[in-house]
Amino acid sequence: HLCVLCPTTTSVFLSTGPTVSEPLVKGEVGQNVTVPCFYNVESTQDVTSMCWGRGSCPISKCFQTIIWTDGWKVTEQYNSRYTLKGDLTRGDVSLMIVNAEEGDSGTYCCRVEILGWFNDQRSNHEVVIEKARISTASPRTYTSEQTSAHGSTSESSFTTMSTWPSISALEVPRAVSISLNMSVLIPRQQYSEHWLYIGTGLCAVLLVILILALFLT
């Protein structure tokens, strides 16, 4: 019974290798976000397989595998938005997230399989995808510029004040109508007064003639 448990306990202990936590990677929704990951390649013999997965690096392989490569080319790709754009033969296995979404936020595991026992290079990468920020800058205020005799410009602020009464668009036809009526009314009034004087004079003449006629009779 003890012999069965001993290898298992030893195996669990030995498989716990170092895992590096890389700096936070931030990106915006709709952009292409690159999660960097490299390993040392000095000769073609150093080129090796690796995988990317969601979540922290497990004891072996990758959880929720995204991409597998044999070191020379991508052999498995589970989502077309996750791709490798670097030079694999030079150890550049950086992950590119195309057209990133908020759901792409989380932990990613980059696991490079190195020959030997428990030599795999493991690194965890935290990725945060945020919505694009909307600019809230206040509108600019422009001032007039006056050019001096020496060619320099100086800003001057001025306010124009009007003493004319404001007339709305609806009041304009009414004002024009009143003006026209007044211009017509003044000549008519002058003509009325002229004929009033003539009528009064004629009445006076007729009255004098009538009195003379009665007196002579």
Side-chain angles (χ1 to χ4, degrees):
H1 180 69
L2 292 176
C3 292
V4 174
L5 291 177
C6 289
T8 304
T9 306
T10 304
S11 176
V12 172
F13 175 77
L14 291 176
S15 63
T16 306
T19 302
V20 179
S21 295
E22 298 293 339
L24 178 68
V25 176
K26 287 187 176 182
E28 292 185 354
V29 173
Q31 294 183 346
N32 296 341
V33 179
T34 300
V35 186
C37 187
F38 303 89
Y39 70 95
N40 187 33
V41 175
E42 295 181 357
S43 65
T44 56
Q45 295 180 351
D46 297 326
V47 177
T48 183
S49 59
M50 61 84 57
C51 65
W52 275 97
R54 296 295 299 265
S56 299
C57 293
I59 296 174
S60 64
K61 310 301 181 183
C62 293
F63 284 140
Q64 300 181 27
T65 305
I66 296 174
I67 283 179
W68 263 106
T69 170
D70 61 3
W72 302 95
K73 64 182 181 301
V74 174
T75 56
E76 296 180 30
Q77 185 176 8
Y78 295 89
N79 191 323
S80 59
R81 292 195 307 106
Y82 299 112
T83 183
L84 302 182
K85 293 295 185 179
D87 189 346
L88 302 181
T89 61
R90 293 182 178 273
D92 184 357
V93 290
S94 300
L95 175 69
M96 175 178 285
I97 305 174
V98 179
N99 192 20
E101 303 173 355
E102 286 187 277
D104 294 322
S105 299
T107 304
Y108 289 77
C109 168
C110 175
R111 185 186 198 99
V112 180
E113 296 185 322
I114 308 297
L115 292 177
W117 288 92
F118 317 116
N119 290 332
D120 288 357
Q121 175 182 308
R122 299 182 298 174
S123 56
N124 292 328
H125 305 257
E126 289 295 330
V127 177
V128 176
I129 307 298
E130 301 174 335
K131 292 182 179 179
R133 296 181 180 179
I134 301 176
S135 177
T136 57
S138 58
R140 295 180 61 184
T141 303
Y142 296 92
T143 57
S144 63
E145 293 186 355
Q146 296 179 347
T147 305
S148 64
H150 298 286
S152 61
T153 59
S154 60
E155 293 185 357
S156 61
S157 301
F158 58 90
T159 304
T160 303
M161 299 182 63
S162 175
T163 57
W164 292 97
S166 59
I167 301 177
S168 64
L170 296 176
E171 293 177 347
V172 171
R174 182 178 178 185
V176 174
S177 177
I178 294 174
S179 177
L180 292 175
N181 291 337
M182 291 298 294
S183 62
V184 174
L185 181 60
I186 292 174
R188 287 182 178 178
Q189 184 177 0
Q190 292 177 351
Y191 289 134
S192 298
E193 293 179 356
H194 179 70
W195 285 109
L196 179 61
Y197 294 148
I198 295 174
T200 303
L202 290 176
C203 290
V205 172
L206 292 176
L207 182 59
V208 171
I209 294 173
L210 181 58
I211 292 174
L212 291 175
L214 292 175
F215 179 75
L216 292 177
T217 304

